[in-house]
Amino acid sequence: MPVIVLEARDFTSPLFLVRTLEVFSSCTAFSLVASLEHKSSNSSSDPLSDTFRIFCMFTWCFFFVITLLIHIISIIQFHSLIPISWKNLTMTVALLGVLMSLSSTVVFPWIVMDHGTVSPRALAATVASGLTFVAYAAESCVLRTQAHEQRGYISSLPGFLKIIQLWGGLKMIPLMVIISNLTTGILWQFWISCVSYGTCIFISLVILVVILGDFAGRCLLPFDRFLAAFSLIGVLLYMLATVICLTKILQMGETESNPNNLNVVIMETLVSSVTLLAYTVDLAFSIKLLCDRSHI
């Protein structure tokens, strides 16, 4: 049966301290921004600001809840009864928290915050979001320094690439919502991009479920071929989406009068390019693994 651990050394460990900082900083960030909801004049009138505000709030709230649950489960030592890979789950939350918190820390002061009348609460929320990013980065470093048998697949470089791929897909969701409201662009380009990003998000979630549930041995195909096939699909789809993004930039550069619309497409291109790079490197790792095993 799980027992409550109340020893002083457990409450002063680096892992306990960084998770406590994650909980308090993320809670502070979304609480401060929520208090500005009826005071910000541009949040209700600007679709760009409003969409990214929802993205930031979702990021802080989601990681506050999931980190608090992990924190409580770790204290009461209940994770041995949960039918998932705990070492992969904690590393997944830490790495995804790093990327999502970094995105919120950049997006909130750049797009969401009203630069005309800067509020002290908005500045404090930005600082709290930055502390959340630092805390998750520290947790990922602490988890990486654990013994080899305590680290899972997500702690490896291919595992980290899987998290970057998931982050790229999640980042595309608010961008696609904003682009759907733009009056410029060709409709078929938008839908092809949405299908590409949606398919890759689904693939990333399937891979994550297989890893967290330790279902690799139950796959119809060998797990290494399973990953290689999905990486190849991701490379092809993101290559198509990146070409479409570059085409839209050329089209909008000649006719677009609103710089915000062009900035959103440029942001989509950057995120798509980073994710494409992650899929490409991941595919190279998968091919190398297949070749090494074929020679054994």
Side-chain angles (χ1 to χ4, degrees), residues 22-23 25-34 52-66 100-101 104-105 108-109 112 125-126 128-130 132 136:
E22 291 164 6
V23 170
S25 57
S26 57
C27 179
T28 301
F30 75 73
S31 298
L32 289 172
V33 176
F52 277 112
R53 180 187 175 278
I54 295 174
F55 170 79
C56 293
M57 288 291 288
F58 172 80
T59 298
W60 296 323
C61 293
F62 174 80
F63 282 98
F64 165 75
V65 172
I66 194 68
M100 295 293 284
S101 298
S104 298
T105 304
F108 181 77
V112 180
T126 304
S129 181
T132 305
Y136 278 111

Side-chain angles (χ1 to χ4, degrees), residues 87-162:
K87 54 189 177 183
N88 282 316
L89 174 63
T90 52
M91 195 63 179
T92 298
V93 173
L95 292 177
L96 192 59
V98 170
L99 298 175
M100 295 293 284
S101 298
L102 177 61
S103 300
S104 298
T105 304
V106 173
V107 166
F108 181 77
W110 176 29
I111 298 176
V112 180
M113 194 165 62
D114 186 4
H115 298 161
T117 56
V118 179
S119 169
R121 293 187 181 182
L123 292 176
T126 304
V127 173
S129 181
L131 289 176
T132 305
F133 160 71
V134 172
Y136 278 111
E139 182 185 359
S140 62
C141 292
V142 171
L143 293 175
R144 281 281 299 169
T145 58
Q146 290 180 339
H148 184 72
E149 59 273 6
Q150 294 179 314
R151 288 181 285 171
Y153 175 82
I154 300 298
S155 298
S156 63
L157 181 57
F160 180 52
L161 292 173
K162 302 290 189 301

Side-chain angles (χ1 to χ4, degrees), residues 162 165-166 168-170 172-173 176 190-208 226 229-241 275 279:
K162 302 290 189 301
Q165 295 162 13
L166 179 59
L170 295 176
M172 286 301 178
I173 295 176
M176 288 297 98
F190 170 76
W191 284 112
I192 289 180
S193 298
C194 287
V195 171
S196 300
Y197 300 142
T199 303
C200 290
I201 292 175
F202 176 75
I203 289 175
S204 297
L205 292 176
V206 169
I207 293 176
L208 193 60
F226 178 78
F230 275 178
S231 297
L232 178 59
I233 294 173
V235 168
L236 296 177
L237 290 178
Y238 266 95
M239 191 178 297
L240 176 62
T275 313
Y279 272 108

Side-chain angles (χ1 to χ4, degrees), residues 46-53 55 107 111 171-183 190 260-261 263-265 267:
D46 185 3
L48 180 65
S49 175
D50 187 58
T51 302
F52 277 112
R53 180 187 175 278
F55 170 79
V107 166
I111 298 176
K171 196 70 165 57
M172 286 301 178
I173 295 176
L175 290 174
M176 288 297 98
V177 172
I178 296 171
I179 292 175
S180 66
N181 295 321
L182 301 182
T183 57
F190 170 76
N260 287 334
N261 295 345
N263 290 338
V264 171
V265 178
M267 191 184 305

Side-chain angles (χ1 to χ4, degrees), residues 35-48:
S35 68
L36 297 172
E37 181 176 2
H38 301 291
K39 296 181 180 180
S40 179
S41 59
N42 69 330
S43 293
S44 59
S45 59
D46 185 3
L48 180 65

